[in-house]
Amino acid sequence: MVIYSMNSITIGNKKLTIDKLVSVARSSINVHLSDEARNKINKIYGMVLKWIDEKKVIYGLSTGFGALSHVIISKKNLKKLQRNIILSHAAGVGNFMDKDIVRAMMLLKLNDFSMGHSGISIKTVETLEYILNAGIIPLIPEKGSVGASG
C-alpha cells in the first residue's frame, strides 16, 4: 500500500506512482516501510538463512558468480563473497548524478525491497530508509561498472 501525506509516504506492496516518486525525489518527504512490507522482508530473509543452514545451492549466495557459478562457497566465506561482489562493482566515472535522481533511485530500491522478494535483511532496508529520510545523498557517478543489475 502506498499512503501519501504532505510530509511522508508509506510504501508496501502497491505500485508507486510517478507523482509520488517525483515528490520524494524533489523534496524532503520522508518514506516509511509499512508493517506488511517489514513482515514480508523478514519472512523471506528468514527463509534465506534457513536455506544457507540447509546448504542449498543458490546462485550468487552459496555459489560464485558467472563462470564460478559451479563453485560452492563455504558458510564461513559467504559474507566475504557478498563483500567482494560489491567491491568488484564499486567503480564509476563521470559527473555525479543530481540529488533528485539519486533520491528517486533510492526510493525505487526501497519500493522494490518492500515487495519482500529479494532476501535482503530488514537492517539493510532500514538503513537505506534512514539515509533517504536523513537527507544523505550518496555521490553516484553517471557511468558505473555494471548496468541496472542489483
Side-chain angles (χ1 to χ4, degrees):
M1 149 174 64
V2 177
I3 301 170
Y4 179 70
S5 75
M6 296 301 274
N7 299 322
S8 70
I9 66 167
T10 300
I11 55 175
N13 64 351
K14 299 288 182 185
K15 290 184 179 180
L16 183 66
T17 66
I18 191 70
D19 290 340
K20 291 176 180 76
L21 176 68
V22 170
S23 293
V24 170
R26 293 184 178 165
S27 67
S28 59
I29 292 175
N30 285 335
V31 177
H32 303 284
L33 290 170
S34 70
D35 290 340
E36 182 180 359
R38 290 175 197 282
N39 291 337
K40 287 180 183 179
I41 293 165
N42 282 324
K43 179 181 177 184
I44 299 302
Y45 183 65
M47 290 172 63
V48 168
L49 294 177
K50 180 180 176 232
W51 294 335
I52 290 170
D53 285 342
E54 293 172 351
K55 299 182 180 174
K56 291 200 184 259
V57 176
I58 306 167
Y59 175 78
L61 185 61
S62 62
T63 72
F65 297 90
L68 299 176
S69 64
H70 64 284
V71 176
I72 304 299
I73 308 299
S74 67
K75 187 174 179 178
K76 71 176 187 165
N77 287 321
L78 293 181
K79 285 184 181 181
K80 186 176 182 180
L81 172 73
Q82 297 305 311
R83 183 178 189 276
N84 286 344
I85 193 69
I86 290 170
L87 291 176
S88 73
H89 290 73
V93 296
N95 296 324
F96 293 121
M97 292 187 187
D98 292 336
K99 173 185 171 182
D100 57 341
I101 300 297
V102 175
R103 283 185 59 84
M105 291 167 44
M106 293 168 70
L107 177 58
L108 289 171
K109 278 315 299 180
L110 272 174
N111 191 61
D112 184 50
F113 292 147
S114 78
M115 303 301 163
H117 302 299
S118 71
I120 196 167
S121 73
I122 191 66
K123 182 178 178 182
T124 302
V125 178
E126 287 173 342
T127 300
L128 180 57
E129 176 186 30
Y130 173 82
I131 289 169
L132 178 63
N133 290 335
I136 299 168
I137 309 298
L139 297 176
I140 301 177
E142 290 176 337
K143 297 178 179 104
S145 64
V146 178
S149 68

